[in-house]
């Protein structure tokens, strides 16, 4: 299942709070996009992101990096996401 998590990218805080749960990446991305619009945040400024979680979770749960991945196994990864932003 897909989840939107709050991720401050702080190694001292490995548990990430689940803000919403979705059946599809599209619905999660749509909700995240709406959140960014209503809060006036750009992608770089927003500490929320979509992840794939194998276990059953619900809004308000916490997950650790070992429990989630950016992409679902077997899911096609957009080409822009496969390369680092640096030269």
């Amino acid at each position: 299942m897909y989840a939107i998590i709050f991720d401050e990218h702080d190694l001292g805080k490995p548990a990430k709070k689940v803000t919403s749960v979705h059946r599809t990446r599209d619905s999660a991305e749509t909700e995240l996009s709406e959140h960014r619009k209503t809060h006036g945040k750009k992608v770089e400024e927003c500490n929320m992101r979509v992840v794939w979680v194998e276990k059953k979770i619900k809004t308000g749960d916490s997950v650790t990096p070992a429990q989630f991945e950016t992409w679902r196994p077997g899911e096609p990864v957009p080409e822009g996401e496969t390369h680092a932003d640096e030269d």
Side-chain angles (χ1 to χ4, degrees), residues 45-59:
E45 299 170 333
C46 187
N47 288 330
M48 298 171 84
R49 64 186 179 117
V50 176
V51 297
W52 169 254
V53 181
E54 195 69 40
K55 73 176 198 159
K56 190 169 186 167
I57 56 169
K58 62 184 184 301
T59 300

Side-chain angles (χ1 to χ4, degrees), residues 11-39:
L11 296 176
K13 297 178 183 176
K16 312 299 181 191
K17 184 176 180 177
V18 175
T19 61
S20 63
V21 178
H22 304 268
R23 290 180 193 238
T24 67
R25 179 172 293 277
D26 286 342
S27 68
E29 293 287 356
T30 298
E31 183 167 321
L32 184 55
S33 178
E34 287 300 315
H35 173 80
R36 288 177 179 144
K37 285 180 193 174
T38 59
H39 290 85

